[in-house]
Amino acid sequence: MENSDTPVQGPGSILLAATPIGDVADASPRFIRALGEAEIIAAEDTRRLLGLANRLQTRITGTLISLHDHNEADKAERLVDLAEGGARVLLVSDAGMPTVSDPGFRVVRAAVNRGVQVSALPGPSAPITALAVSGLPSDRFSFEGFLPRKPGEAQAYLLALAHDPHTLIFFESPKRLNETLRAMATTFGPQRQGVVCRELTKTHEEILRGELESLVEQTTGEVLGEITIVIAGYRGRGNAEEHVPAVLALASEGMRLKDAAAEVAEATGLRKNELYKAALRRKEKG
């Protein structure tokens, strides 16, 4: 067991620390100690970190540096310089583990390239928590983060995953949840199993399970909070009719119907002509 007098982090190193994703009581004693010991703390939102430290009743004595998506490229080397000079540099994001859909990757890469020690202080993780409670296969999974914002790019991204056998994990904003579930139902098929996890570990935690078409119906109203979506992996190529919506969705973005059918065929393993004819029949029916 580690001596309580021994610092959590050694000098001249970078430590990635997971912060609570909801319930502040999930912060580990080692994390609380690390906050008080670090000479440099790079935080995604410094005000949010100070609020967390206050709730944890711990005092931050180190220098706070703002590190977010828009400035990480500029600050990564400077943070590594500080660690190389002997400082204890602590990296934290707003929730969960840094680098997982959060800042930190460029800092870690720069540190690794320069031989600076990088360690992690494990803790809460929204993707792993959502996977654990989903009831979907957890032996093989893929974390996909946020989808592209443009509908056409999001549809193409999902299409590339349509044949993936891994359980898929996504982040999404509450405002885009229903739109994203509709796109998933169109691309993966309405009967694909999914789970929507909202406000994990918080007072108003909610977990919705069911086929994608059912999840679309359950999320038509106002949705609030942090969202993680878990989708079952591909278990069979299905038939052409099931994938016609994906062909038509690509065509609605300006792609020729034959080209759309070819792209869906490549992703699903179905025959291009079979998909094209099915989509043409659906289109003619209106």
Side-chain angles (χ1 to χ4, degrees):
M1 180 179 290
E2 185 180 79
N3 190 308
S4 60
D5 295 329
T6 303
V8 172
Q9 180 181 7
S13 66
I14 293 174
L15 180 65
L16 311 178
T19 54
I21 60 174
D23 194 325
V24 71
D26 290 336
S28 71
R30 291 184 68 220
F31 171 72
I32 296 171
R33 284 182 56 203
L35 280 179
E37 293 172 355
E39 285 121 6
I40 305 292
I41 302 178
E44 188 175 6
D45 185 328
T46 56
R47 291 174 299 181
R48 187 162 177 171
L49 177 63
L50 288 170
L52 174 61
N54 184 58
R55 292 194 297 278
L56 293 173
Q57 299 182 338
T58 189
R59 183 166 173 262
I60 292 177
T61 58
T63 300
L64 284 178
I65 295 177
S66 176
L67 183 77
H68 47 73
D69 289 335
H70 302 295
N71 70 7
E72 185 180 358
D74 296 327
K75 294 192 175 184
E77 294 292 344
R78 174 56 179 157
L79 288 169
V80 177
D81 287 342
L82 292 167
E84 203 168 43
R88 294 182 177 91
V89 178
L90 182 68
L91 261 63
V92 297
S93 59
D94 287 346
M97 179 63 74
T99 77
V100 182
S101 270
D102 278 326
F105 169 71
R106 291 182 177 88
V107 177
V108 172
R109 184 171 60 181
V112 169
N113 288 341
R114 291 167 57 178
V116 172
Q117 181 185 350
V118 179
S119 299
L121 205 168
S125 167
I128 298 301
T129 302
L131 176 66
V133 301
S134 70
L136 297 176
S138 57
D139 54 337
R140 301 177 67 195
F141 62 91
S142 175
F143 175 63
E144 300 297 330
F146 287 94
L147 288 175
R149 289 198 171 274
K150 294 182 179 178
E153 293 178 6
Q155 197 76 51
Y157 191 96
L158 290 173
L159 186 60
L161 297 172
H163 211 207
D164 195 320
H166 300 81
T167 297
L168 304 172
I169 307 171
F170 301 85
F171 284 159
E172 192 49 277
S173 74
K175 291 183 179 179
R176 296 178 57 199
L177 175 60
N178 187 257
E179 175 187 346
T180 293
L181 289 172
R182 287 180 183 276
M184 289 176 171
T186 296
T187 307
F188 299 151
Q191 276 73 55
R192 182 81 71 96
Q193 291 291 317
V195 179
V196 174
C197 300
R198 187 180 71 84
E199 296 289 82
L200 284 169
T201 78
K202 299 179 183 178
T203 303
H204 300 292
E205 176 180 284
E206 180 181 34
I207 299 174
L208 304 174
R209 299 181 175 87
E211 296 180 344
L212 282 171
E213 61 181 353
S214 171
L215 294 176
V216 169
E217 294 174 1
Q218 294 180 68
T219 57
T220 52
E222 183 181 28
V223 179
L224 301 173
E226 302 291 330
I227 305 292
T228 306
I229 305 171
V230 187
I231 302 295
Y234 177 74
R235 290 294 178 267
R237 69 182 188 178
N239 57 56
E241 291 295 334
E242 291 177 12
H243 295 279
V244 164
V247 176
L248 296 178
L250 289 174
S252 70
E253 296 290 331
M255 188 178 289
R256 286 179 35 184
L257 194 63
K258 283 188 176 181
D259 293 335
E263 189 161 334
V264 174
E266 184 177 354
T268 61
L270 293 167
R271 293 183 178 180
K272 178 180 67 176
N273 288 342
E274 188 178 354
L275 276 167
Y276 173 70
K277 290 177 181 178
L280 192 60
R281 286 195 300 269
R282 185 84 61 91
K283 195 173 182 181
E284 289 173 347
K285 289 180 181 179

